[in-house]
């Protein structure tokens, strides 16, 4: 990835007559350099590539990013923006771009103060757009990440029973993903039950699972940094008629949206398709409009699906489709798959069953 990503950055600099790009967004740092650590920055100029970090990471950067010149910001400059200003002066740069949606305001002011005469050009969404075109290797990692998450659905189901708490189940789920091959730390999982399932991003609690509860699991892991994100909802015991009805509508919403996801479709098209099954029912008022997002080195990235987004879906993007129905104080159902958009439709990377399971 990094080679392709770097080439795209260099080409962007040339095309836009920029002398350099200061990359502060952590996911963009990872994407461009293949670095796996934290707290680091890139400064790519027309003649050099600087990796700005501190002694906690210098050895690791030497292994992971050997083509970069490492700059320890504490040692010679005192702050990260001071490094950028100093290098710009040393290398005689006239203008540099920075990530305006990411750079801290205080860092921006420091950079401005220390780089008199240097033009600072705000850019946004540029590397994010590069990231939405997945390479073969990225797709392979995303597929592996989804495989792990799907395998763990089969495992966690066996642990779900009356009396076990949401936290216990969430801990088991994380453990299973590590044992199945995910990177060491899966990100925070949503595992909630009963009426709490209407909380879109509820946090696992000490509540014990009860007979008749929905259990909603929205989770995923990383494989070589690449993320999976899936949701399944099941019923502990026999589903009530209302649970069945809501599940069926939601299931249809999920399938309709996935069928609408294809090259050339807009975010709005997919959203409209997702609504068809719920329109005119009493549950229409309980949907949420954010129904999907790209996934890669970060869990929520472009393109986003919803009525206010302008994205057009293209080939080799990997994204989730996750409409849901959330009824306050009663419960919610969400089914989320992660799909690869291909030249002949989509491939669902989340192969865990989405038929209603009654445990
Ligand atoms: Mn999601």
């Amino acid at each position: 990835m990094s080679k392709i990503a770097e080439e795209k950055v260099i080409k962007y600099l040339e095309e836009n007559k920029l002398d350099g790009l200061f990359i502060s967004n952590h996911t963009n740092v990872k994407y461009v350099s293949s670095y796996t650590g934290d707290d680091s920055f890139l400064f790519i100029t027309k003649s050099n590539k600087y990796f700005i970090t501190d002694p906690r990471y210098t050895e690791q950067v030497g292994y992971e990013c050997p083509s970069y010149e490492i700059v320890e910001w504490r040692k010679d400059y005192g702050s990260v923006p001071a490094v950028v200003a100093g290098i710009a002066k040393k290398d005689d740069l006239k203008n540099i771009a920075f990530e305006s949606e990411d750079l801290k305001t205080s860092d921006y002011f420091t950079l401005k103060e220390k780089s008199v005469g240097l033009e600072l050009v705000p850019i946004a969404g540029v590397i994010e757009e590069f990231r939405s075109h997945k390479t073969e290797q990225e797709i392979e990692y995303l597929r592996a990440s989804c495989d792990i998450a799907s395998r763990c659905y089969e495992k966690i189901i066996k642990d779900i029973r009356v009396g076990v708490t949401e936290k216990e189940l969430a801990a088991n789920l994380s453990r299973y993903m590590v044992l199945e091959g995910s990177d060491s730390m899966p990100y925070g999982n949503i595992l909630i039950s009963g009426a709490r399932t209407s909380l879109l991003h509820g946090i696992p609690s000490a509540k014990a699972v009860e007979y008749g509860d929905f259990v909603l699991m929205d989770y995923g892991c990383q494989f070589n940094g690449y993320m999976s994100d899936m949701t399944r909802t099941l019923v502990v015991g026999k589903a009530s008629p209302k649970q069945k009805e809501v599940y069926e509508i939601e299931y249809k919403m999920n399938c309709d949206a996935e069928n609408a996801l294809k090259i050339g479709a807009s975010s709005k098209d997919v959203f409209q398709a997702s609504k068809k099954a719920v329109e005119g029912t009493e549950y229409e008022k309980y949907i949420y409009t954010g129904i999907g997002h790209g996934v890669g080195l970060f869990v929520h990235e472009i393109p986003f699906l919803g009525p206010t987004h302008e994205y057009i879906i293209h080939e080799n993007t990997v994204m989730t489709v996750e409409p849901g129905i959330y009824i306050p104080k009663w419960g919610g159902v969400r089914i989320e798959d992660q799909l690869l958009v291909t030249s002949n439709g989509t491939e669902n990377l989340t192969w865990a069953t989405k038929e209603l399971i009654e445990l």
Side-chain angles (χ1 to χ4, degrees):
M1 288 131 284
S2 68
K3 189 100 182 41
I4 294 169
E6 272 174 24
E7 281 167 6
K8 284 183 176 178
V9 169
I10 306 259
K11 191 162 166 248
Y12 178 82
L13 293 182
E14 283 167 4
E15 282 173 0
N16 292 277
K17 301 195 169 29
L18 292 163
D19 290 349
L21 168 59
F22 172 36
I23 304 176
S24 57
N25 176 287
H26 183 57
T27 310
N28 291 343
V29 168
K30 284 165 95 172
Y31 173 72
V32 172
S33 69
S34 295
Y35 172 64
T36 64
D38 291 318
D39 293 337
S40 297
F41 306 82
L42 303 180
F43 188 29
I44 314 260
T45 72
K46 51 187 182 177
S47 53
N48 210 344
K49 296 186 298 181
Y50 299 94
F51 197 105
I52 306 167
T53 189
D54 64 67
R56 287 174 299 166
Y57 300 108
T58 43
E59 183 180 0
Q60 183 181 344
V61 175
Y63 302 139
E64 293 182 349
C65 316
S67 64
Y68 282 78
E69 183 175 322
I70 299 172
V71 184
E72 284 183 30
W73 61 266
R74 264 198 194 88
K75 209 168 69 186
D76 300 325
Y77 294 92
S79 76
V80 173
V83 173
V84 176
I87 291 171
K89 196 165 180 199
K90 172 174 80 70
D91 288 0
D92 195 26
L93 309 183
K94 301 285 180 275
N95 61 23
I96 62 162
F98 68 97
E99 297 182 297
S100 63
E101 286 181 335
D102 184 82
L103 189 65
K104 275 198 299 191
T105 312
S106 57
D107 282 351
Y108 171 75
F109 283 117
T110 308
L111 179 59
K112 203 164 148 60
E113 188 192 301
K114 291 190 179 294
S115 60
V116 178
L118 179 70
E119 189 193 349
L120 300 176
V121 183
I123 65 164
V126 172
I127 298 175
E128 285 79 354
E129 206 282 326
F130 300 160
R131 276 170 36 201
S132 71
H133 300 263
K134 265 63 181 183
T135 63
E136 247 171 68
Q137 182 169 60
E138 288 180 297
I139 290 167
E140 190 186 307
Y141 293 164
L142 286 161
R143 182 176 277 118
S145 188
C146 291
D147 274 346
I148 293 167
S150 289
R151 286 204 294 275
C152 291
Y153 184 57
E154 295 181 340
K155 286 178 176 280
I156 196 66
I157 285 173
K158 298 195 173 82
D159 295 340
I160 300 175
R161 63 180 75 91
V162 171
V164 64
T165 69
E166 294 170 1
K167 276 190 187 184
E168 286 172 310
L169 291 170
N172 283 359
L173 189 51
S174 293
R175 180 172 170 273
Y176 292 148
M177 286 192 281
V178 174
L179 294 176
E180 285 292 316
S182 92
D183 298 349
S184 60
M185 271 200 294
Y187 63 95
N189 297 320
I190 297 168
L191 195 151
I192 47 183
S193 63
R196 304 187 76 245
T197 51
S198 63
L199 304 171
L200 274 78
H201 272 194
I203 296 166
S205 73
K207 177 193 170 297
V209 169
E210 293 167 53
Y211 185 86
D213 273 359
F214 271 135
V215 174
L216 184 152
M217 291 160 271
D218 180 349
Y219 68 97
C221 65
Q222 301 97 318
F223 182 80
N224 287 344
Y226 283 82
M227 294 183 153
S228 48
D229 185 16
M230 62 175 277
T231 309
R232 292 293 184 263
T233 310
L234 52 72
V235 177
V236 180
K238 199 105 192 76
S240 71
K242 183 169 174 179
Q243 282 175 323
K244 270 194 177 147
E245 184 186 19
V246 172
Y247 195 94
E248 268 166 36
I249 294 170
E250 157 60 12
Y251 183 94
K252 187 127 200 337
M253 289 171 69
N254 170 280
C255 294
D256 288 346
E258 290 184 3
N259 289 333
L261 182 71
K262 53 175 168 255
I263 294 172
S266 71
S267 293
K268 290 173 189 156
D269 296 339
V270 184
F271 173 71
Q272 288 307 328
S274 81
K275 266 193 354 179
K276 254 182 18 210
V278 75
E279 264 164 356
T281 75
E282 61 184 293
Y283 306 115
E284 191 175 352
K285 56 183 177 291
Y286 299 123
I287 64 170
Y288 173 63
T289 55
I291 63 142
H293 53 85
V295 190
L297 285 168
F298 196 63
V299 68
H300 300 126
E301 56 184 46
I302 64 166
F304 292 96
L305 297 176
T308 57
H309 295 295
E310 303 284 350
Y311 300 98
I312 301 294
I313 305 304
H314 55 72
E315 192 175 359
N316 291 335
T317 192
V318 171
M319 57 190 311
T320 70
V321 171
E322 52 173 319
I325 297 172
Y326 312 96
I327 305 170
K329 298 189 172 64
W330 181 79
V333 181
R334 178 164 65 248
I335 303 169
E336 175 181 28
D337 290 322
Q338 187 166 327
L339 304 103
L340 166 66
V341 178
T342 69
S343 55
N344 31 355
T346 55
E347 180 192 342
N348 191 349
L349 306 179
T350 311
W351 49 261
T353 182
K354 55 185 174 187
E355 300 303 317
L356 176 60
I357 291 175
E358 298 172 284
L359 284 176

